[in-house]
Amino acid sequence: MTTVTTNLTARAAELLAAMGAEVPEGGDLTAISPITGEPLARLAADDAASVEAKITAAHEAFATWRTTPAPVRGAMVYELGQLLRQHKAALGELVSIEAGKIRSEGLGEVQEMIDICDLAVGQSRQLFGLTIASERPGHRMMEQWHPLGVVGVISAFNFPVAVWSWNAALALICGDPVVWKPSENANLTAIATHALARQAAEAAGAPVEVVQLILGGREVGEQLVRDERVALVSATGSSRMGHEVAPVVAARFGRCLLELGGNNAAIVAPSADLELAVRGIVFSAAGTAGQRCTTLRRVIVHEDIADELIERLRAAYSTLPIGSPLEESTLVGPLIDQRAYEGYAAALKSAVSAGGTIHAGGSRVAADEHPDAYYVEPAVVELPEQVELMHTETFAPLLYVVRYRDFDDAIAMNNAVPQGLSSSCFTLDVREAELFTSAAGSDCGIANVNIGPSGAEIGGAFGGEKETGGGRESGSDAWRAYMRRSTSTVNYSTELPLAQGVTFG
């Protein structure tokens, strides 16, 4: 256990000031660092009137922003990318302080923001439609993409700023204002990011009203979800949250982009490079203290190599430095709060009751003089079969191991859970690799071979199927979610032929 850093309150205030952020102090919201479990600041939440005012401001700004040329809109996102480069160290450290990520992951999250800004700036000149051959002489038919409207973004604590940027960078170049409701566990990082976004708007001559931030609890999020002026709600969180959000938005014929639960597996085949597999497994399972939606939660290993893999995992887990994420040597930081720890402990108990064997970890680690901080040993638990417990996502560093004999059975086990975000397969057999990534293979939105399920790049569309929600963010053609499609036909002839040979007259 590395030393827990103290005086985080003063350091967080310094970082916020360095980024030009003004903190609305004195309210009922408490920003807490999971590093120590102690308060960083007390913040004023938005009330119903201020939420209404901010949505109204965004909606009114849409009238101007949607007619601004897309490359000009891209100039604002360019400025945001430059500011993020300038403040990468400060924002990355604030992510570590408020979300508990180790330093390299905090910095990596900001780099991900920079990367999506770069992608979006280029995309602002490539919002392509189609020219379609018309069956009618003297007619030209085309498909165009137009701005959609206000985009509401609800983000989770585990990627407190990157997920906002995935949505905001694309939404802004598409002509959509963004109203952001961050996690209650990550308000300070949101305040800092929002300040940089406003500075970027001013530098680019864009209306600052196109970016809005609302702070608060469930009632604030519900108001955002219900508002008919919010054309798209992009929500990241649990599948339970998605079940609540989606019907409300659908009832008013709005759009949803959902990034929900993950319960990700790695198949380890007999031909696998075990050294490579162990490195991929340990990072994917223990990184971010198991609090990624793409965290590896299940290893499905061939029975012929299971004992060797488990022994290698046991050895690797015994060397993981646990402690303050601000210490350079740390690889595993804290869980976000007490509820996360209780979920971890309860799942371990259930796994043992189901016949599981704990091969590594499983205990809480003392955090010196900070009893309200929750550090745990990443755990490896072997189960005799894929029991019902494994169908539930536990947001903690808890890795289940089960054995398989036939590769088709391994794929079936991968697909048996209700979530469908990410998956991976370690194999040197080209047939297994191709089958795993084929239509008959993994049913997840992400299917990797010889890398773990976490660590997605922004160039590819990110998201999953089934209870993961079906949304796609970041690269590829994810920009289309933030626009509406219009098919137009122009008749430049002097005749009026009808389609399908219909005559009327």
Side-chain angles (χ1 to χ4, degrees):
M1 176 78 186
T2 58
T3 304
V4 175
T5 307
T6 57
N7 200 23
L8 297 180
T9 300
R11 183 56 180 161
E14 290 174 6
L15 295 168
L16 286 158
M19 289 180 275
E22 296 182 5
V23 179
E25 297 179 328
D28 296 330
L29 293 178
T30 304
I32 296 174
S33 174
I35 299 174
T36 62
E38 297 175 348
L40 296 170
R42 297 198 181 278
L43 312 172
D46 283 277
D47 58 19
S50 63
V51 172
E52 166 69 22
K54 290 177 179 180
I55 295 175
T56 298
H59 181 66
E60 291 175 350
F62 177 57
T64 300
W65 196 235
R66 69 184 176 184
T67 59
T68 302
V72 178
R73 299 193 295 251
M76 176 187 167
V77 178
Y78 171 82
E79 294 293 345
L80 176 58
Q82 296 301 98
L83 285 168
L84 289 169
R85 286 178 170 89
Q86 179 183 341
H87 296 285
K88 178 179 176 179
L91 185 54
E93 184 177 350
L94 190 60
V95 168
S96 294
I97 290 172
E98 192 174 34
K101 290 190 170 186
I102 63 174
R103 281 190 180 273
S104 66
E105 289 194 88
L107 292 171
E109 182 162 351
V110 182
Q111 185 60 50
E112 195 165 5
M113 301 173 76
I114 295 168
D115 292 344
I116 192 63
C117 286
D118 287 350
L119 183 145
V121 171
Q123 189 71 68
S124 70
R125 294 182 180 271
Q126 298 183 356
L127 301 176
F128 295 139
L130 296 172
T131 299
I132 305 164
S134 173
E135 68 185 61
R136 291 168 285 183
H139 287 60
R140 190 262 300 131
M141 184 162 55
M142 67 176 180
E143 182 181 272
Q144 301 178 83
W145 293 87
H146 299 303
L148 180 64
V150 175
V151 171
V153 177
I154 300 173
S155 60
F157 79 88
N158 58 333
F159 280 87
V161 289
V163 168
W164 170 83
S165 71
W166 289 358
N167 286 277
L170 293 181
L172 288 168
I173 63 107
C174 288
D176 304 329
V178 177
V179 181
W180 181 17
K181 193 278 181 194
S183 165
E184 292 176 78
N185 294 111
N187 283 319
L188 295 182
T189 49
I191 290 168
T193 301
H194 181 66
L196 296 180
R198 289 247 165 167
Q199 292 168 37
E202 292 173 350
V208 296
E209 293 81 9
V210 297
V211 283
Q212 301 288 339
L213 177 67
I214 56 176
L215 305 180
R218 181 185 178 97
E219 66 286 350
V220 167
E222 289 178 346
Q223 186 175 348
L224 180 66
V225 167
R226 289 194 307 265
D227 198 298
E228 292 187 355
R229 295 167 297 177
V230 179
L232 171 70
V233 174
S234 178
T236 301
S238 66
S239 296
R240 177 195 56 77
M241 183 265 281
H243 280 296
E244 295 177 359
V245 168
V248 175
V249 178
R252 60 177 179 81
F253 297 103
R255 292 193 199 174
C256 270
L257 195 167
L258 299 176
E259 298 288 356
L260 308 175
N263 194 353
N264 316 297
I267 297 171
V268 185
S271 66
D273 178 335
L274 286 187
E275 183 178 349
L276 183 72
V278 168
R279 293 205 307 271
I281 289 169
V282 173
F283 169 71
S284 298
T288 326
Q291 297 172 116
R292 290 182 177 220
C293 53
T294 54
T295 289
L296 178 61
R297 310 209 180 275
R298 299 175 294 138
V299 167
I300 303 164
V301 57
H302 194 276
E303 59 186 21
D304 289 349
I305 59 168
D307 291 339
E308 182 180 358
L309 178 67
I310 290 170
E311 184 54 41
R312 286 178 180 240
L313 290 174
R314 181 188 293 118
Y317 270 55
S318 70
T319 67
L320 291 174
I322 303 168
S324 169
L326 300 178
E327 299 294 328
E328 294 295 341
S329 60
T330 297
L331 291 181
V332 181
L335 295 176
I336 191 65
D337 55 24
Q338 181 178 353
R339 186 172 65 172
Y341 169 70
E342 291 171 350
Y344 166 85
L348 267 174
K349 183 178 179 180
S350 296
V352 172
S353 297
T357 301
I358 299 176
H359 290 290
S363 299
R364 185 178 176 187
V365 180
D368 301 329
E369 70 276 23
H370 299 291
D372 294 326
Y374 294 90
Y375 295 82
V376 299
E377 297 172 339
V380 177
V381 182
E382 183 181 3
L383 285 159
E385 59 182 341
Q386 184 158 287
V387 298
E388 185 62 29
L389 169 67
M390 296 173 65
H391 291 212
T392 302
E393 178 187 36
T394 299
F395 223 57
L398 175 55
L399 180 65
Y400 302 114
V401 178
V402 291
R403 305 182 185 216
Y404 80 91
R405 172 176 289 276
D406 181 78
F407 192 71
D408 287 339
D409 291 339
I411 291 177
M413 293 166 70
N414 176 84
N415 297 348
V417 298
Q419 308 86 357
L421 177 53
S422 191
S423 58
S424 61
C425 178
F426 290 90
T427 181
L428 299 182
D429 184 323
V430 68
R431 290 179 174 174
E432 290 179 335
E434 292 294 333
L435 176 59
F436 181 74
T437 57
S438 75
S442 170
D443 65 358
C444 297
I446 300 170
N448 296 332
V449 175
N450 292 328
I451 60 172
S454 62
E457 298 180 34
I458 58 92
F462 178 89
E465 303 301 323
K466 303 188 294 187
E467 285 193 4
T468 303
R472 291 297 185 275
E473 295 171 328
S474 195
S476 184
D477 64 349
W479 60 271
R480 295 186 177 192
Y482 307 92
M483 304 198 83
R484 62 179 180 85
R485 190 191 315 240
S486 171
T487 301
S488 302
T489 303
V490 176
N491 179 6
Y492 57 90
S493 74
T494 59
E495 303 297 328
L496 193 63
L498 301 179
Q500 293 85 46
V502 174
T503 59
F504 188 80

